[in-house]
Amino acid sequence: MSSINTKPVSNSISTLANVQPPSYKGITKLDKSLFVRHFPIVCVFFPDAGKIGQFVKDHKKDILRYPRIPFIVKLDETTNNIKRSEKNKELKAVVLTEKLKDISTVEDILSPEAINDIKSFQGEFRNYDLTLDYSYWRSDEILKAILPENFNEEVPSGFTKTGHIAHLNLKEEYKPYGELIGQVILDKNPSVKTVVDKLDSIDTTFRTFKMKVIAGEDNFLVEQKESDCIFKFDFSKVLVHLLFQQVKRGVLFLQMI
């Protein structure tokens, strides 16, 4: 494996455009706490949460709009020095445009119409730390951040799924990083409980192959639904492509190839 990147990583970012997780090339164990980015921004708290929908509808250009990043958040009562109101007990607030990084520039950035409505709705501005953590990043983004540079063109984030098992066929150069890759795939796919990597070629007689669990449970008993039928089998003993052909109503034939 390549050496671990020991250079200090700045977790603060100045723009959300094309943002990527911090890079930790060569780590040998996944530490989710490393993959955090902080972005200073401003939000507005409305004492009446019923005004949030109207404000969002009328001022789309003045609020944060990025895929996978919510523009409605819940504030912390102590950290944000804010009091719960009868009409906003959950302390919901609207995250404003990324151009607005500090309350002092509100008048310069927001539209006059948005400012007028915020005043009319008795809104309160608060500086807000938008945090993008491990849960935000896609599996391919995490893998690009931890695998060596020469692997970045083709990160092994794809897999075949049978029941709760994700089956990989890692190239030889990726195998030293198998457990890292497996853990990322396990984390990013809630329905996956076990990740395996094929170790050798398929046995021509029984269509099986040796495999290694690289993440998750050591459990090969799977349930697979095909053509409204549920099949239960040991994935480590049977490798099948299930081809169903309905020859007459209520009768299905299973062909193993």
Side-chain angles (χ1 to χ4, degrees):
M1 290 189 182
S2 60
S3 60
I4 298 175
N5 178 6
T6 57
K7 294 181 180 179
V9 176
S10 174
N11 287 337
S12 296
I13 51 178
S14 58
T15 178
L16 292 173
N18 301 316
V19 63
Q20 295 294 317
S23 178
Y24 291 95
K25 299 292 186 183
I27 62 173
T28 56
K29 187 175 181 180
L30 189 64
D31 182 351
K32 299 177 185 179
S33 67
L34 296 176
F35 301 96
V36 177
R37 291 288 199 191
H38 296 282
F39 184 76
I41 205 166
V42 175
C43 67
V44 58
F45 167 76
F46 295 108
D48 182 356
K51 301 295 184 182
I52 291 177
Q54 183 178 341
F55 180 80
V56 169
K57 179 181 178 182
D58 294 341
H59 305 290
K60 294 180 180 179
K61 293 183 178 180
D62 291 287
I63 65 175
L64 183 71
R65 290 286 190 176
Y66 266 92
R68 298 182 288 138
I69 300 180
F71 54 81
I72 297 178
V73 297
K74 294 180 181 180
L75 301 180
D76 180 84
E77 190 171 13
T78 303
T79 304
N80 293 279
N81 189 27
I82 202 165
K83 293 183 179 180
R84 298 179 188 274
S85 63
E86 190 63 31
K87 294 184 177 181
N88 194 349
K89 295 181 179 180
E90 294 184 291
L91 298 179
K92 291 183 178 180
V94 178
V95 182
L96 300 173
T97 172
E98 69 164 312
K99 298 176 183 177
L100 186 56
K101 296 180 173 60
D102 189 85
I103 293 176
S104 62
T105 59
V106 164
E107 299 285 344
D108 300 324
I109 303 296
L110 293 185
S111 66
E113 294 80 9
I115 293 175
N116 287 337
D117 277 351
I118 290 171
K119 290 179 179 178
S120 175
F121 298 157
Q122 298 181 315
E124 302 175 26
F125 293 107
R126 289 290 186 276
N127 286 321
Y128 183 73
D129 176 28
L130 177 63
T131 302
L132 305 179
D133 60 15
Y134 180 81
S135 64
Y136 171 76
W137 312 107
R138 300 191 309 267
S139 57
D140 62 309
E141 292 173 328
I142 292 291
L143 291 175
K144 284 182 179 180
I146 61 180
L147 293 176
E149 289 288 349
N150 55 312
F151 291 166
N152 281 0
E153 291 298 321
E154 185 184 357
V155 293
S157 56
F159 57 87
T160 300
K161 185 171 178 290
T162 303
H164 66 274
I165 295 178
H167 163 219
L168 285 75
N169 186 9
L170 294 176
K171 295 180 180 178
E172 196 61 36
E173 59 266 31
Y174 289 108
K175 289 189 181 296
Y177 306 92
E179 292 184 5
L180 279 173
I181 295 168
Q183 188 60 52
V184 173
I185 289 175
L186 185 71
D187 292 339
K188 298 299 179 178
N189 297 275
S191 63
V192 171
K193 305 301 179 185
T194 304
V195 184
V196 301
D197 178 34
K198 187 172 77 170
L199 296 181
D200 58 11
S201 58
I202 297 174
D203 183 282
T204 56
T205 304
F206 298 105
R207 305 292 293 168
T208 61
F209 58 84
K210 292 181 180 179
M211 64 186 75
K212 176 184 178 182
V213 175
I214 55 177
E217 304 170 1
D218 189 2
N219 176 16
F220 294 107
L221 296 177
V222 302
E223 290 188 6
Q224 179 75 6
K225 186 175 181 180
E226 296 284 350
S227 301
D228 296 325
C229 295
I230 296 178
F231 294 85
K232 297 181 180 180
F233 55 93
D234 188 330
F235 184 76
S236 66
K237 296 179 180 178
V238 180
L239 175 64
V240 294
H241 293 291
L242 302 177
L243 298 180
F244 294 96
Q245 182 178 12
Q246 188 167 357
V247 295
K248 62 181 180 179
R249 188 173 183 180
V251 178
L252 293 173
F253 282 86
L254 170 63
Q255 181 182 3
M256 298 176 61
I257 63 171

